[in-house]
Amino acid sequence: MNKDATEEQIGTITKKLQDFGHGVNISRGTSRIVIGAIGDESKLAPELFDSLPGVEYSMHIVKQYKIVSRESQTTDSVIDVSGIPIGGQQIQVIGGPCSVETQEQMDLSAQFVAAAECRLMRGGAFKPRTSPYTFQGKGKDGLTIFRRAASKYNLPIVTELMDVRMLDTFLEHDVDIIQIGTRNMQNFDLLKEVGRISKPVILKRGLSATISEWLMAAEYIAAGGNHNIIFCERGIRTFETAYRNVMDVTCIPVLKRETHLPVIVDPSHAGGKSWMVPALARAAIAAGADGLLIEMHPNPCEAWCDADQALNPQELKDLMASLKGIAGVIGRTI
Amino acid sequence: MNKDATEEQIGTITKKLQDFGHGVNISRGTSRIVIGAIGDESKLAPELFDSLPGVEYSMHIVKQYKIVSRESQTTDSVIDVSGIPIGGQQIQVIGGPCSVETQEQMDLSAQFVAAAECRLMRGGAFKPRTSPYTFQGKGKDGLTIFRRAASKYNLPIVTELMDVRMLDTFLEHDVDIIQIGTRNMQNFDLLKEVGRISKPVILKRGLSATISEWLMAAEYIAAGGNHNIIFCERGIRTFETAYRNVMDVTCIPVLKRETHLPVIVDPSHAGGKSWMVPALARAAIAAGADGLLIEMHPNPCEAWCDADQALNPQELKDLMASLKGIAGVIGRTI
Amino acid sequence: MNKDATEEQIGTITKKLQDFGHGVNISRGTSRIVIGAIGDESKLAPELFDSLPGVEYSMHIVKQYKIVSRESQTTDSVIDVSGIPIGGQQIQVIGGPCSVETQEQMDLSAQFVAAAECRLMRGGAFKPRTSPYTFQGKGKDGLTIFRRAASKYNLPIVTELMDVRMLDTFLEHDVDIIQIGTRNMQNFDLLKEVGRISKPVILKRGLSATISEWLMAAEYIAAGGNHNIIFCERGIRTFETAYRNVMDVTCIPVLKRETHLPVIVDPSHAGGKSWMVPALARAAIAAGADGLLIEMHPNPCEAWCDADQALNPQELKDLMASLKGIAGVIGRTI
Amino acid sequence: MNKDATEEQIGTITKKLQDFGHGVNISRGTSRIVIGAIGDESKLAPELFDSLPGVEYSMHIVKQYKIVSRESQTTDSVIDVSGIPIGGQQIQVIGGPCSVETQEQMDLSAQFVAAAECRLMRGGAFKPRTSPYTFQGKGKDGLTIFRRAASKYNLPIVTELMDVRMLDTFLEHDVDIIQIGTRNMQNFDLLKEVGRISKPVILKRGLSATISEWLMAAEYIAAGGNHNIIFCERGIRTFETAYRNVMDVTCIPVLKRETHLPVIVDPSHAGGKSWMVPALARAAIAAGADGLLIEMHPNPCEAWCDADQALNPQELKDLMASLKGIAGVIGRTI
């Protein structure tokens, strides 16, 4: 309460809290009076109090996410992706091209991904592009091509779902992990729909989403019953223009403290240039990430999109070697 | 090209440009060589060149938005919303509550909106909430309640569409302007769908969307055939924590220069507190905005959401008076 | 305290607070225990408690600025600048070029500033330039030139102090307002020095300074005894690249609520282009600013620095007319 | 030039460039005309052209930093700090407390720093504090105490210079590396002064400084003759509030490409909490940093400032072990 809050104003707040079924603790300090609500905070919204006379500001003490919180489950969740564990002692690197182009390109990609000892494969059939005039992805045909290529090498597949009406198509194509992209992190209807199934979901962080908003987006999925959620940091938007985004390595230890769910990182989108990827990938693993999404293209210069951020097959292989070294230092394997 | 680019590398770039059907201009400077592509830029992606040997960086010279650009149409577009013009000499203030609660609340709201001489009404039936555990809106019933209340006072209505599957329902309820919210500014499937109809669309700016991305999002709608687009600035995300968002007043003159489409501002969401709204609303009009979205609730302290940002009916009326004064100073009316 | 904090941990915190001379209030909620310190908060630092066992987080309840706070003085401060009031009913526009170039240029500038009915003049003799290889200002000679030109038209002068060793030189040249620039907002030794004199100080906001840090920077000046402080918003750094900075119009009503000191705005530096200045200047006045810093050059195309952001004399005159109109609408004069 | 630029306008630009002594290349494209200046770009400022009729925008092609650029020197610079190399194959960890408190505290700190096998020591005698009412550092006495403690263990010392008038005092106390803090990155007079001596300088990145501005700040020092410059990333300011700053790991590979000078990282200030430090420190080394600044206090809970971000002696020792492992993986030593 403001310094000059009257007893009547304090009484109004007190009564309102009690009407919501809460107990009240009043602490009279030297220059402020603090009114504490005792009970289930989630039933109260601070803005219901902020506009009342005498109130300086009101806030939640307890965080609003529940199912995904570390408080609700102290042990790490390990998500089973068609037999491959994500979130445990073993780190997973998910390799593959930005977008599905042709059967040949995907066959080659799958071969190189497997050869680099990655255990899962990525590729986009539906592409969220800034411009309506650029390549929008191969669509359903892309899913078919991708599924066929990956199955030859027993690689579970990860691909992005943008349109809620496409969910059944994804399930029919046996997509192993559904990716919710950066621009859809708060597409709540999409989150609710993937919450109703049991497929693992990679939830990418919004370009300027706070940790708290990200955890709440995951809570939307979890609240529907699907707890197979994997967080993916992919760079945040800042003032810096020398690179596309800033890979937020700090979010890794913070998320590991706030949630029991796995955290992976996409260094390819974060930096936006292939020559930055090895440094960023190593940093992510050193900071405790449970996995990586890395773009690799059989022939980067010919890629149909984001050609400048894909590693070539040899670069991916070399990177895997140093990542294994770092994993070993911190007691993990790849 | 890099300082040390070879003639062979220059030749490779030149050939690649020619293969795309472009002419080439080579400018040999003191410390760099600049290769210019002559032809339709939109067919070229800078990243196709960035990773080639000898290239320092590549960029577009021409902006990628076309239909929405001022270059394509020098006169201002005036959008006709059920008889009310948006984008012309007359400024429009769209008032109403954050969310539809009850028929009585909406009837009262409509009465006060009309009494304040606003010509359109806002209200949310589907609410994008950060938490899955808070009020998500009244849904379809909310649309019915809203339509009924507004029609009594001949107020065209604005309400947010979150889920592409709800578009038909919006059309059945005669929603006059479909609002695409901040979190969905780059929900491309949703943009494509509202691009296929002819209803006016308010396209809110994403929390950290650049002007260029925003214009490209509008281009998605326009490319489908719907040119009835209204931009709405609603505050951007920055480092500042003393207020919810920073209302970006600079975007108003910049958009008026870049596009022929109308630009309105939502000062209620930008600041997040009702006491900031009058100052922000006045600033937006003084900077050249074509309209405002303002939250007003018959009884703000009882509002079901965002209670602290709604004006009460008298505050809205008082604000309208000073806005009229400012409009007059810059040769417009409200 | 954490959900699982022990009684012993609570006791440790309690004892530590009591050792600092504070009373203690313990509120036991459903899922957290809140310990309130009763007494002078400024003696406690939250980080002294954050690392103790059982603590979830600790925070100040009361703001840390005192002399500059609205709480310490409810009436607006009006700063007397050699007879011109800043912060009262009358709005002040401070016009002039980015930098002092020649006596002729400054004489002409002063003439045009006075002709536009501005009552104070700006001009830089020491220029903070990003590159060491660009024009760094005319230095002491610039002060002499500036003083001479402005005195002919009875214009008090504003100019930037970058180096603490130059303070005496500024005083010898009768600089009427000392400007502390954006890059020096937290140059604490410079703040302390201008705190020891009584000359009015314009304190520009740091590029990414929060409102709280800005008020604390002013508090450094005020704590030394100089209460003649004028805040100047000049655009903040964000992700947007379409314009130099984002003019933060929201900070105007917020500062007017948090401090009794005047708030002015520099729309020229905020936008970075002269064609944006009129819209931004009008917005600032409409939002409640007490004044403006506006760049005007007798011949912008020939200016030695920031040529693209200066108005020409006629543009300044035209702008003043519309600003007077807006001032009238909100009950002020210019 | 704009699409509608006239031949006369093109002629004006051409003439202006020629007057500056530049050659001109004109490329006439489909929808724009590009005029290239051939000659020394650093003599031209884009803003001199931006306001001329017909110009759409103008820009530099070549970067403005010279001495510090990788282009000017392709081999890595190794800075000799009283016998300890920074920037070579060996990684340096600089440990020590946030601030100098007492002789005993510094003696103990030096002992633990040496015991952890760090080869340099940090500690602040002059502290830049947000509030004027908090501990401002021990000042000159602090330097004496620090020097004495570090010399017992042959540790070169790093400490922050805030006030240009203190430079001689720093030299008298044999400070081995002068640190320029975040808030002073663009305090150009301070940069010029440390440019006139030959002592190694750690240049911390400003809270929201771009890579380009940071390199230009170093160029200020280098232009004075002092090339012993070490960049130090310490976290940037973003929208995120869950941690103090975001450690920008991407800047490491980018700086290593843009400059030949060493790059170190301060994970303690970046995260703001001691429990984040190990993850961030490992990430920085994995990404290619040449060293670290790490806060260690003999008894963190009793530290006079930033108590929550210092490691205790054992934590530093443990961290060094894992850092050595990571250094080994990437072919370096610690």
Side-chain angles (χ1 to χ4, degrees):
Chain A
M1 306 295 287
N2 285 326
K3 201 177 63 165
D4 307 321
T6 64
E7 287 304 314
E8 196 193 332
Q9 289 166 345
I10 296 169
T12 304
I13 304 297
T14 302
K15 179 154 188 326
K16 187 155 183 167
L17 287 172
Q18 287 166 341
D19 288 351
F20 274 99
H22 285 67
V24 170
N25 171 288
I26 301 182
S27 168
R28 292 170 190 271
T30 310
S31 53
R32 290 290 181 285
I33 293 161
V34 178
I35 304 179
I38 299 173
D40 180 1
E41 268 197 8
S42 70
K43 293 182 186 156
L44 300 174
E47 63 262 29
L48 292 175
F49 295 86
D50 269 347
S51 53
L52 297 180
V55 173
E56 185 157 307
Y57 63 90
S58 54
M59 59 179 282
H60 278 292
I61 295 292
V62 183
K63 282 146 187 166
Q64 299 302 295
Y65 36 93
K66 298 183 193 318
I67 304 171
V68 305
S69 75
R70 178 66 79 178
E71 222 169 272
S72 79
Q73 179 188 317
T74 53
T75 57
D76 286 349
S77 283
V78 180
I79 314 278
D80 174 54
V81 182
S82 311
I84 310 293
I86 297 190
Q89 186 269 351
Q90 192 181 58
I91 291 166
Q92 304 300 346
V93 180
I94 307 169
C98 177
S99 61
V100 176
E101 299 166 8
T102 64
Q103 187 69 55
E104 191 196 358
Q105 168 245 15
M106 290 306 282
D107 286 349
L108 264 175
S109 294
Q111 181 191 325
F112 286 126
V113 165
E117 297 183 43
C118 298
R119 288 182 212 89
L120 302 100
M121 186 172 176
R122 54 152 292 147
F126 298 87
K127 300 298 303 174
R129 303 299 301 273
T130 303
S131 163
Y133 306 122
T134 50
F135 176 54
Q136 307 275 312
K138 296 279 278 187
K140 287 189 197 184
D141 287 351
L143 291 182
T144 309
I145 290 171
F146 188 9
R147 181 71 277 172
R148 200 183 298 145
S151 293
K152 287 184 203 162
Y153 298 89
N154 284 319
L155 295 164
I157 65 172
V158 179
T159 196
E160 179 168 347
L161 175 68
M162 294 167 62
D163 185 339
V164 74
R165 297 167 298 184
M166 277 292 146
L167 182 53
D168 286 344
T169 305
F170 272 55
L171 297 179
E172 286 158 18
H173 283 78
D174 270 331
V175 171
D176 299 280
I177 307 184
I178 294 173
Q179 178 179 305
I180 302 294
T182 295
R183 296 169 184 79
N184 283 313
M185 192 200 86
Q186 289 191 319
N187 181 337
F188 297 122
D189 291 291
L190 190 57
L191 299 179
K192 285 175 183 171
E193 288 298 329
V194 297
R196 287 184 191 121
I197 58 171
S198 60
K199 281 278 173 199
V201 175
I202 285 182
L203 180 65
K204 285 201 156 185
R205 184 182 187 177
L207 255 189
S208 66
T210 61
I211 296 293
S212 168
E213 289 170 337
W214 195 10
L215 286 159
M216 289 308 291
E219 189 80 15
Y220 261 93
I221 301 172
N226 186 353
H227 296 193
N228 296 314
I229 306 164
I230 299 157
F231 290 92
C232 179
E233 159 64 23
R234 45 80 68 218
I236 56 172
R237 180 157 278 179
T238 73
F239 58 85
E240 182 59 66
T241 55
Y243 18 98
R244 187 158 57 188
N245 294 122
V246 168
M247 188 179 95
D248 179 11
V249 80
T250 312
C251 83
I252 303 168
V254 171
L255 278 179
K256 299 303 284 183
R257 188 177 251 237
E258 292 294 318
T259 179
H260 51 87
L261 294 165
V263 179
I264 68 172
V265 174
D266 177 346
S268 304
H269 279 87
K273 297 287 172 195
S274 61
W275 60 265
M276 299 174 185
V277 171
L280 298 180
R282 284 193 281 262
I285 296 306
D290 296 306
L292 296 170
L293 266 182
I294 294 187
E295 286 199 11
M296 185 278 303
H297 192 280
N299 188 353
C301 293
E302 300 300 319
W304 295 8
C305 85
D306 286 346
D308 51 340
Q309 76 189 28
L311 298 183
N312 65 36
Q314 187 58 45
E315 288 167 339
L316 178 61
K317 217 164 184 172
D318 294 346
L319 176 56
M320 286 296 280
S322 74
L323 294 179
K324 278 179 192 177
I326 292 173
V329 172
I330 55 173
R332 301 181 79 164
T333 57
I334 292 192
Chain B
M1 306 296 287
N2 284 328
K3 202 176 61 165
D4 307 321
T6 64
E7 287 305 314
E8 194 193 333
Q9 289 167 345
I10 295 168
T12 304
I13 304 295
T14 301
K15 178 151 189 333
K16 186 154 185 170
L17 287 172
Q18 288 165 342
D19 289 350
F20 274 100
H22 285 68
V24 169
N25 172 289
I26 301 184
S27 169
R28 290 170 190 271
T30 310
S31 52
R32 289 292 182 283
I33 293 161
V34 178
I35 304 178
I38 298 173
D40 180 2
E41 269 198 10
S42 69
K43 293 182 187 156
L44 301 173
E47 64 262 29
L48 291 176
F49 297 86
D50 269 347
S51 53
L52 297 179
V55 174
E56 185 157 307
Y57 65 90
S58 55
M59 58 179 282
H60 278 292
I61 296 293
V62 183
K63 283 147 186 167
Q64 300 303 295
Y65 38 93
K66 299 183 192 318
I67 305 170
V68 305
S69 76
R70 177 66 79 178
E71 223 170 271
S72 79
Q73 180 187 318
T74 53
T75 56
D76 286 349
S77 284
V78 180
I79 314 276
D80 174 54
V81 182
S82 312
I84 309 293
I86 297 190
Q89 184 269 351
Q90 191 182 59
I91 291 165
Q92 305 300 346
V93 179
I94 307 169
C98 179
S99 62
V100 177
E101 299 166 8
T102 64
Q103 188 68 54
E104 190 195 0
Q105 168 247 12
M106 289 307 280
D107 286 349
L108 263 174
S109 295
Q111 181 191 325
F112 286 126
V113 164
E117 298 183 42
C118 298
R119 287 183 211 88
L120 302 101
M121 186 172 175
R122 56 151 291 149
F126 297 88
K127 301 297 304 172
R129 302 302 299 274
T130 303
S131 164
Y133 305 122
T134 50
F135 175 54
Q136 307 274 312
K138 296 277 281 188
K140 287 188 198 185
D141 289 350
L143 291 182
T144 309
I145 290 171
F146 186 9
R147 182 69 276 173
R148 198 183 297 145
S151 292
K152 285 184 203 162
Y153 298 89
N154 285 316
L155 296 165
I157 65 172
V158 179
T159 196
E160 178 167 349
L161 174 69
M162 294 168 62
D163 184 340
V164 74
R165 296 167 298 183
M166 277 292 147
L167 181 55
D168 286 344
T169 305
F170 272 55
L171 297 178
E172 286 157 20
H173 283 78
D174 271 332
V175 170
D176 298 280
I177 306 184
I178 293 174
Q179 178 178 304
I180 303 295
T182 295
R183 295 169 184 80
N184 282 314
M185 192 200 85
Q186 289 191 319
N187 181 336
F188 298 122
D189 292 292
L190 190 57
L191 299 179
K192 285 174 183 173
E193 288 298 329
V194 297
R196 287 184 191 124
I197 57 169
S198 61
K199 280 279 174 198
V201 174
I202 285 181
L203 181 64
K204 286 200 155 186
R205 184 181 188 176
L207 254 189
S208 67
T210 62
I211 296 292
S212 169
E213 290 170 337
W214 196 7
L215 285 159
M216 289 308 292
E219 191 78 15
Y220 260 95
I221 300 172
N226 186 354
H227 296 192
N228 297 312
I229 306 163
I230 299 157
F231 290 92
C232 179
E233 158 66 23
R234 45 79 68 218
I236 55 172
R237 180 158 278 179
T238 73
F239 58 83
E240 182 59 67
T241 55
Y243 18 98
R244 187 157 57 185
N245 295 121
V246 168
M247 187 179 96
D248 178 10
V249 81
T250 312
C251 83
I252 303 168
V254 171
L255 278 179
K256 298 304 283 183
R257 188 176 249 238
E258 292 294 319
T259 180
H260 51 86
L261 294 166
V263 180
I264 67 171
V265 174
D266 177 346
S268 305
H269 279 86
K273 296 288 172 193
S274 62
W275 61 265
M276 299 176 185
V277 171
L280 297 180
R282 282 191 283 262
I285 296 305
D290 295 307
L292 296 170
L293 267 181
I294 294 186
E295 287 200 10
M296 185 278 304
H297 192 281
N299 187 353
C301 293
E302 300 299 322
W304 294 7
C305 84
D306 285 346
D308 51 341
Q309 78 189 26
L311 298 184
N312 66 36
Q314 186 57 45
E315 288 167 339
L316 178 61
K317 218 166 184 172
D318 295 346
L319 175 56
M320 286 295 280
S322 73
L323 294 179
K324 278 178 191 179
I326 292 174
V329 171
I330 57 172
R332 301 183 77 165
T333 55
I334 292 191
Chain C
M1 307 295 287
N2 284 328
K3 201 176 63 165
D4 307 321
T6 64
E7 286 305 314
E8 195 192 333
Q9 290 167 344
I10 296 168
T12 304
I13 303 296
T14 301
K15 180 154 187 329
K16 187 156 184 168
L17 287 172
Q18 287 166 342
D19 288 351
F20 273 101
H22 285 67
V24 169
N25 171 289
I26 301 182
S27 168
R28 292 171 189 271
T30 310
S31 53
R32 288 292 181 284
I33 293 161
V34 178
I35 305 179
I38 298 173
D40 180 2
E41 268 197 9
S42 69
K43 293 182 186 155
L44 300 174
E47 63 262 29
L48 292 175
F49 296 87
D50 269 347
S51 53
L52 297 180
V55 174
E56 184 157 306
Y57 64 91
S58 54
M59 59 179 282
H60 278 291
I61 294 293
V62 183
K63 283 148 186 166
Q64 299 302 295
Y65 36 94
K66 300 183 190 320
I67 305 171
V68 306
S69 75
R70 178 65 81 179
E71 222 171 272
S72 79
Q73 181 188 316
T74 53
T75 57
D76 286 350
S77 284
V78 180
I79 314 278
D80 175 55
V81 182
S82 311
I84 309 294
I86 297 189
Q89 184 270 351
Q90 192 181 60
I91 290 165
Q92 304 299 346
V93 179
I94 306 171
C98 177
S99 63
V100 177
E101 299 165 10
T102 65
Q103 188 68 56
E104 192 196 356
Q105 168 246 14
M106 289 307 281
D107 286 350
L108 264 175
S109 294
Q111 182 191 323
F112 286 125
V113 164
E117 297 184 41
C118 298
R119 288 182 210 89
L120 302 101
M121 186 171 173
R122 54 151 293 147
F126 297 88
K127 301 297 304 172
R129 303 300 300 275
T130 303
S131 164
Y133 305 123
T134 51
F135 176 54
Q136 306 275 310
K138 297 278 280 186
K140 286 188 198 184
D141 289 351
L143 291 183
T144 310
I145 290 171
F146 187 9
R147 180 71 277 172
R148 200 183 296 146
S151 291
K152 286 184 201 161
Y153 297 88
N154 285 319
L155 296 164
I157 64 173
V158 179
T159 196
E160 179 167 347
L161 175 68
M162 292 167 63
D163 185 340
V164 74
R165 295 166 300 184
M166 277 291 146
L167 182 55
D168 287 344
T169 305
F170 272 56
L171 297 178
E172 285 158 18
H173 283 78
D174 270 333
V175 171
D176 298 280
I177 307 185
I178 293 172
Q179 178 177 305
I180 302 295
T182 295
R183 295 168 184 81
N184 282 313
M185 192 201 86
Q186 289 191 319
N187 181 335
F188 298 122
D189 292 290
L190 189 59
L191 299 179
K192 285 175 181 170
E193 287 299 327
V194 298
R196 287 183 190 122
I197 58 171
S198 60
K199 281 277 175 199
V201 175
I202 284 180
L203 180 65
K204 285 200 157 185
R205 183 181 187 177
L207 255 189
S208 67
T210 61
I211 297 292
S212 169
E213 289 170 338
W214 195 8
L215 286 159
M216 289 309 291
E219 190 80 13
Y220 259 94
I221 301 172
N226 187 354
H227 296 191
N228 297 313
I229 306 163
I230 299 157
F231 290 92
C232 180
E233 159 65 22
R234 46 78 69 218
I236 56 172
R237 181 157 278 178
T238 72
F239 58 83
E240 182 58 67
T241 55
Y243 17 97
R244 188 156 56 186
N245 294 122
V246 168
M247 188 179 95
D248 178 11
V249 80
T250 313
C251 82
I252 303 168
V254 171
L255 277 179
K256 298 304 284 182
R257 189 176 249 238
E258 291 295 318
T259 178
H260 51 87
L261 293 166
V263 180
I264 68 172
V265 173
D266 178 345
S268 305
H269 279 86
K273 297 288 172 193
S274 62
W275 61 265
M276 298 176 186
V277 171
L280 298 181
R282 283 193 282 263
I285 295 306
D290 296 306
L292 297 170
L293 267 182
I294 294 186
E295 286 201 11
M296 186 278 303
H297 192 281
N299 188 353
C301 293
E302 300 299 320
W304 295 7
C305 83
D306 284 347
D308 51 340
Q309 77 189 28
L311 297 184
N312 66 37
Q314 187 57 44
E315 289 167 339
L316 178 60
K317 218 164 183 172
D318 294 346
L319 175 56
M320 286 295 280
S322 74
L323 295 179
K324 278 179 193 178
I326 292 174
V329 171
I330 56 173
R332 303 183 77 166
T333 57
I334 291 192
Chain D
M1 306 295 287
N2 284 328
K3 199 177 63 166
D4 307 322
T6 64
E7 286 306 314
E8 196 193 331
Q9 289 166 346
I10 295 168
T12 304
I13 304 296
T14 301
K15 181 154 186 329
K16 187 155 185 167
L17 287 171
Q18 289 166 341
D19 289 350
F20 274 101
H22 285 68
V24 169
N25 171 288
I26 302 184
S27 169
R28 291 171 191 270
T30 310
S31 53
R32 290 289 182 285
I33 292 160
V34 178
I35 304 178
I38 299 173
D40 181 1
E41 267 197 10
S42 69
K43 292 182 186 155
L44 300 174
E47 62 262 28
L48 291 175
F49 297 86
D50 269 347
S51 53
L52 296 180
V55 174
E56 184 157 307
Y57 65 90
S58 54
M59 58 177 284
H60 278 292
I61 295 292
V62 184
K63 281 147 187 168
Q64 300 301 296
Y65 37 93
K66 298 182 192 319
I67 306 171
V68 306
S69 75
R70 178 65 79 179
E71 222 170 274
S72 80
Q73 181 188 316
T74 52
T75 58
D76 286 349
S77 284
V78 179
I79 314 278
D80 175 55
V81 181
S82 312
I84 310 293
I86 298 190
Q89 184 270 350
Q90 192 182 58
I91 291 166
Q92 304 299 347
V93 179
I94 308 170
C98 177
S99 63
V100 177
E101 298 166 9
T102 65
Q103 189 66 56
E104 190 195 359
Q105 169 246 13
M106 289 307 281
D107 286 350
L108 264 175
S109 294
Q111 182 191 323
F112 287 126
V113 165
E117 296 183 45
C118 298
R119 288 182 211 89
L120 302 101
M121 184 172 176
R122 54 152 292 149
F126 298 87
K127 301 298 302 174
R129 303 300 300 273
T130 302
S131 163
Y133 305 122
T134 50
F135 175 54
Q136 306 276 311
K138 296 278 280 186
K140 287 188 199 186
D141 289 351
L143 290 182
T144 310
I145 289 170
F146 186 9
R147 181 70 277 172
R148 199 183 297 146
S151 292
K152 286 184 204 161
Y153 297 89
N154 284 319
L155 296 165
I157 65 173
V158 179
T159 195
E160 179 167 348
L161 175 67
M162 294 167 62
D163 185 341
V164 74
R165 296 168 299 185
M166 277 292 146
L167 181 55
D168 287 344
T169 305
F170 272 56
L171 298 178
E172 285 158 19
H173 283 78
D174 271 332
V175 171
D176 299 280
I177 306 184
I178 293 174
Q179 178 178 305
I180 303 294
T182 294
R183 295 168 184 82
N184 283 313
M185 191 201 86
Q186 288 191 319
N187 181 336
F188 297 121
D189 292 289
L190 189 58
L191 298 179
K192 285 174 182 171
E193 288 299 329
V194 299
R196 287 184 190 121
I197 58 171
S198 60
K199 280 278 174 198
V201 175
I202 285 181
L203 180 65
K204 287 199 155 186
R205 183 182 189 177
L207 255 189
S208 66
T210 61
I211 296 292
S212 169
E213 289 170 338
W214 195 9
L215 286 159
M216 289 309 291
E219 190 79 15
Y220 260 94
I221 300 172
N226 186 354
H227 296 191
N228 296 313
I229 306 164
I230 300 155
F231 290 91
C232 179
E233 159 65 22
R234 43 80 69 219
I236 56 172
R237 179 158 280 179
T238 73
F239 59 83
E240 181 57 68
T241 55
Y243 19 98
R244 188 158 57 187
N245 294 121
V246 168
M247 189 179 95
D248 179 12
V249 80
T250 313
C251 83
I252 302 168
V254 172
L255 278 178
K256 298 304 283 182
R257 187 177 250 237
E258 292 293 320
T259 180
H260 51 87
L261 295 165
V263 180
I264 67 171
V265 174
D266 177 347
S268 304
H269 279 87
K273 297 288 171 193
S274 62
W275 61 266
M276 298 176 186
V277 170
L280 298 181
R282 283 192 282 261
I285 295 306
D290 297 305
L292 296 170
L293 267 181
I294 294 186
E295 287 200 12
M296 185 278 303
H297 192 282
N299 188 354
C301 293
E302 300 299 321
W304 294 7
C305 83
D306 286 345
D308 50 341
Q309 78 189 27
L311 298 184
N312 66 35
Q314 187 57 45
E315 287 167 340
L316 178 61
K317 218 166 184 173
D318 294 346
L319 175 57
M320 287 295 280
S322 74
L323 295 179
K324 278 179 194 179
I326 292 174
V329 171
I330 56 172
R332 302 182 78 165
T333 57
I334 293 192

